[in-house]
Amino acid sequence: MSISVQDYAQECAAQGLRGDYSVCRADFTVEQKYDYSQAEQDVWRTLCDRQTKLTQRLAHKSYLDGMSALGLVDRIPDFHEVSEKLRKLSGWEIVAVPGLIPAQPFFDHLANRRFPVTNWLRTRDELDYIVEPDMFHDFFGHVPVLSQPVFGDFMQMYGEKATDLIALGGDEMITRLYWYTAEYGLMQEPGQPLKAFGAGLMSSFTELQFAVESPDAHQVPFDIETVMRTTYEIDKFQRAYFVLPSFDTLKDAFQNSDLAGIIKRWKAEQPRDPATV
């Protein structure tokens, strides 16, 4: 069932979410309103300077290439300027949102190669952790790898198929696939060192180092059925990280696997503990 913008705005206000949902359009987008203070610009630069020292060492080449092409670290990005560059690279663009939005409009944006990015930034007191996804997570984490056409194709297909898969009872299972790839995915191409590309890792100072470098990180070869059956952590380090050999593997698995069959087989079963995969 769809939810109206007005009802969703009231729900978010009641939950104490900080985005201004009262100015949402019908598709839950807003204007970016590039009126950030010097203090906000300083927080952005602090976050980017600190995290770039890690991503240069631990991020996959696809992420680093996207970051270089889009130029996201000198100042808070102008969404329109970045969208112009991104369209030329992969056909994607950025749309501003006040924070988390309902699943249906989120999927619709993805299906049309639009990525929703929060238009506000965390404070200096929240450099290490923030409960809600903010601009730094959305932009620094997600946007660079969207410059890669194959990953962009996967994200578009995800948006196109998600609603039908949820209708089959696959809500949690399809969410796990997004979580373990777009948010916490690792990549190890043949003959290359392990690297990260997921946005939750790219925007985390501590978990990025843990996921890639710690001997305690549980790194598992990617298998789409296993991913869809495995629970995940919301407010602590993941207890499993799935490792792709390429974005082509991810795209092909999503495009060619019997996702409906996977959901039918396992939707009524208890999900797997990450420690056991």
Side-chain angles (χ1 to χ4, degrees), residues 125-189:
D125 293 337
E126 300 168 309
L127 292 181
D128 292 324
Y129 178 75
I130 186 170
V131 177
E132 302 171 61
D134 71 332
M135 188 194 309
F136 182 69
H137 169 82
D138 290 346
F139 232 121
F140 192 94
H142 282 286
V143 172
V145 78
L146 286 172
S147 67
Q148 306 302 304
V150 177
F151 183 75
D153 291 345
F154 160 72
M155 292 287 277
Q156 180 180 16
M157 287 190 300
Y158 183 94
E160 291 171 342
K161 292 185 177 185
T163 300
D164 289 340
L165 295 172
I166 289 171
L168 297 174
D171 190 349
E172 293 183 359
M173 298 179 77
I174 199 69
T175 299
R176 293 171 195 145
L177 179 60
Y178 187 91
W179 187 268
Y180 277 123
T181 57
E183 292 289 352
Y184 289 93
L186 300 179
M187 181 85 74
Q188 187 163 27
E189 296 173 308

Side-chain angles (χ1 to χ4, degrees), residues 92 97 131 135 143 235 239 247 268:
W92 279 78
V97 292
V131 177
M135 188 194 309
V143 172
D235 57 358
R239 291 185 291 133
F247 286 137

Side-chain angles (χ1 to χ4, degrees), residues 3 12 45 47 50-51 54 60 63-64 97 106 123 139 156 162 189 215 219-220 223 227 231 254 257 263:
I3 183 172
C12 292
R45 189 59 184 264
L47 286 165
R50 183 176 73 165
Q51 197 67 9
L54 293 180
H60 185 254
Y63 176 91
L64 298 176
V97 292
F106 178 72
T123 67
F139 232 121
Q156 180 180 16
E189 296 173 308
Q219 299 154 351
V220 184
D223 172 76
V227 169
T231 58
F254 191 76
S257 298
I263 290 169

Side-chain angles (χ1 to χ4, degrees), residues 46-57:
T46 297
L47 286 165
C48 289
D49 286 350
R50 183 176 73 165
Q51 197 67 9
T52 297
K53 293 175 183 177
L54 293 180
T55 57
Q56 288 294 329
R57 187 175 84 246

Side-chain angles (χ1 to χ4, degrees), residues 4-241:
S4 72
V5 173
Q6 292 79 10
D7 289 344
Y8 192 77
Q10 291 177 357
E11 287 185 14
C12 292
Q15 294 172 29
L17 301 185
R18 72 182 76 180
D20 185 1
Y21 290 84
S22 67
V23 295
C24 283
R25 305 182 184 97
D27 63 357
F28 288 85
T29 62
V30 296
E31 288 297 323
Q32 182 188 16
K33 292 186 178 179
Y34 200 96
D35 56 0
Y36 303 102
S37 67
Q38 187 58 51
E40 289 171 312
Q41 294 285 0
D42 290 344
V43 167
W44 177 265
R45 189 59 184 264
T46 297
L47 286 165
C48 289
D49 286 350
R50 183 176 73 165
Q51 197 67 9
T52 297
K53 293 175 183 177
L54 293 180
T55 57
Q56 288 294 329
R57 187 175 84 246
L58 303 176
H60 185 254
K61 184 177 183 296
S62 59
Y63 176 91
L64 298 176
D65 287 349
M67 181 64 77
S68 177
L70 297 172
L72 304 179
V73 298
D74 292 337
R75 61 184 175 89
I76 293 174
D78 181 296
F79 291 11
H80 294 296
E81 290 178 3
V82 174
S83 289
E84 289 182 6
K85 297 177 182 178
L86 196 55
R87 286 189 202 101
K88 295 175 182 177
L89 294 169
S90 63
W92 279 78
E93 63 181 294
I94 307 305
V95 292
V97 292
L100 293 169
I101 63 174
Q104 192 55 53
F106 178 72
F107 297 146
D108 184 67
H109 285 307
L110 295 188
N112 289 280
R113 296 180 93 90
R114 300 186 299 260
F115 192 80
V117 175
T118 301
N119 66 346
W120 55 264
L121 183 66
R122 69 190 69 185
T123 67
R124 185 164 291 278
D125 293 337
E126 300 168 309
L127 292 181
D128 292 324
Y129 178 75
I130 186 170
V131 177
E132 302 171 61
D134 71 332
M135 188 194 309
F136 182 69
H137 169 82
D138 290 346
F139 232 121
F140 192 94
H142 282 286
V143 172
V145 78
L146 286 172
S147 67
Q148 306 302 304
V150 177
F151 183 75
D153 291 345
F154 160 72
M155 292 287 277
Q156 180 180 16
M157 287 190 300
Y158 183 94
E160 291 171 342
K161 292 185 177 185
T163 300
D164 289 340
L165 295 172
I166 289 171
L168 297 174
D171 190 349
E172 293 183 359
M173 298 179 77
I174 199 69
T175 299
R176 293 171 195 145
L177 179 60
Y178 187 91
W179 187 268
Y180 277 123
T181 57
E183 292 289 352
Y184 289 93
L186 300 179
M187 181 85 74
Q188 187 163 27
E189 296 173 308
Q192 298 297 315
L194 181 71
K195 300 291 183 179
F197 70 88
L201 298 175
M202 294 298 96
S203 59
S204 172
F205 184 73
T206 53
E207 191 164 6
L208 174 57
Q209 297 174 81
F210 174 81
V212 178
E213 296 184 317
S214 174
D216 295 326
H218 183 36
Q219 299 154 351
V220 184
F222 176 85
D223 172 76
I224 195 166
E225 187 163 345
T226 303
V227 169
M228 291 173 67
R229 293 182 57 204
T230 304
T231 58
Y232 58 85
E233 305 293 346
I234 294 177
D235 57 358
K236 61 183 70 172
F237 286 4
Q238 300 307 303
R239 291 185 291 133
Y241 300 93

